[in-house]
Amino acid sequence: MIAREGTPGVIRVVFDSGPDRVVGGGGWGAHEGGVSRVHGGYLNLHRPATVRALIEEALADGQRFGNAGQVDGWRTFDAVAARVPPERREAPSEQLVE
């Protein structure tokens, strides 16, 4: 659910589970806030870049804040994944040797 401060409505982006879809908490490699396709593609819905891309896609699709709206997240999955840069992995911390 995405809300704009000062406006009453929200845009709800929904990723329903189904064939070829992994929804957070729903299987291998999934975490709360993660959605992916079995044969490729992953979005971390906790990342600001992902949220920004979801907002941009919803607005491009005609959704507007001020009205309650719902967007099928899977319809925008590929476009959002193409906009979001890959997550950087942090280098493992060095172990202290005593």
Side-chain angles (χ1 to χ4, degrees):
M1 178 170 59
I2 304 168
R4 176 180 269 169
E5 187 174 348
T7 58
V10 299
I11 298 174
R12 189 176 312 273
V13 180
V14 178
F15 288 90
D16 288 326
S17 60
D20 191 39
R21 300 172 176 177
V22 179
V23 179
W28 175 87
H31 63 83
E32 292 300 322
V35 294
S36 61
R37 290 196 171 135
V38 172
H39 299 291
Y42 166 79
L43 293 175
N44 180 345
L45 303 178
H46 292 296
R47 289 185 67 202
T50 303
V51 174
R52 176 66 185 199
L54 285 167
I55 291 170
E56 290 171 354
E57 287 299 318
L59 293 175
D61 191 43
Q63 296 293 321
R64 296 289 172 253
F65 290 101
N67 300 316
Q70 184 166 307
V71 175
D72 176 2
W74 295 110
R75 258 193 35 214
T76 64
F77 184 91
D78 292 328
V80 170
R83 286 179 179 226
V84 177
E87 289 188 61
R88 293 188 321 202
R89 292 187 168 228
E90 294 184 26
S93 60
E94 295 181 2
Q95 295 180 3
L96 296 176
V97 178
E98 296 184 31

